Amino acid sequence: RRAAEFLVDHSNESMLQTTGEQALDVEHYLDEIEKLSKAPLKGGFAFERVTMYINYVMNSASRHHVKITPAFVSMALAIKVQEGIALMLNPRASIINVANPIIIKAEARRLKQGGFDRLKTI
């Protein structure tokens, strides 16, 4: 939920400077993202496709006028392309099993380089 709040805050700052608008129905947006983050923890449930997460986040942001940072959009598109290629080669491919260790290592490296202070504020 705190990460979604960070996205809304960043979006509102950016949009206020350019269009004078802000995100709509922020509490509902926060609830949607919180629901997404808790879903995989229930009863062993896990999304089969990484892009389902990305689509959910992007659709929710669109409904609530939350401007997503360009870096997130670029990352999301890269993941979609990679997943598409992997699924064409092997329909049973599980991107999340391959991606998780890479993401965890990258985050650990980022935290060692001073990213932990920023993480504490999220």
Side-chain angles (χ1 to χ4, degrees), residues 1-13 23 26-34 66-68 118 121-122:
R1 184 173 183 94
R2 185 67 185 118
E5 290 172 354
F6 178 74
L7 286 173
V8 169
D9 291 345
H10 184 269
S11 173
N12 284 342
E13 283 179 28
V26 171
E27 280 303 311
H28 191 247
Y29 172 75
L30 297 176
D31 291 342
E32 287 179 6
I33 300 303
E34 183 175 29
V66 175
K67 182 179 177 183
I68 301 295
R118 182 169 177 234
T121 65
I122 294 180

Side-chain angles (χ1 to χ4, degrees), residues 81-102:
V81 168
Q82 291 173 2
E83 183 177 50
I85 292 168
L87 292 173
M88 286 178 68
L89 296 171
N90 179 359
R92 292 177 289 168
S94 177
I95 301 300
I96 203 150
N97 290 338
V98 174
N100 272 348
I102 295 167

Side-chain angles (χ1 to χ4, degrees), residues 4-72:
E5 290 172 354
F6 178 74
L7 286 173
V8 169
D9 291 345
H10 184 269
S11 173
N12 284 342
E13 283 179 28
S14 175
M15 289 193 328
L16 278 174
Q17 292 175 359
T18 57
T19 65
E21 297 179 8
Q22 288 189 320
L24 305 174
D25 195 6
V26 171
E27 280 303 311
H28 191 247
Y29 172 75
L30 297 176
D31 291 342
E32 287 179 6
I33 300 303
E34 183 175 29
K35 180 181 173 184
L36 171 70
S37 68
K38 289 182 178 180
L41 303 177
K42 295 180 182 174
F45 171 81
F47 282 110
E48 293 178 345
R49 304 280 191 263
V50 173
T51 56
M52 290 176 68
Y53 282 112
I54 296 166
N55 286 336
Y56 188 94
V57 170
M58 299 301 267
N59 287 335
S60 184
S62 177
R63 277 192 304 278
H64 298 285
H65 296 202
V66 175
K67 182 179 177 183
I68 301 295
T69 62
F72 181 84

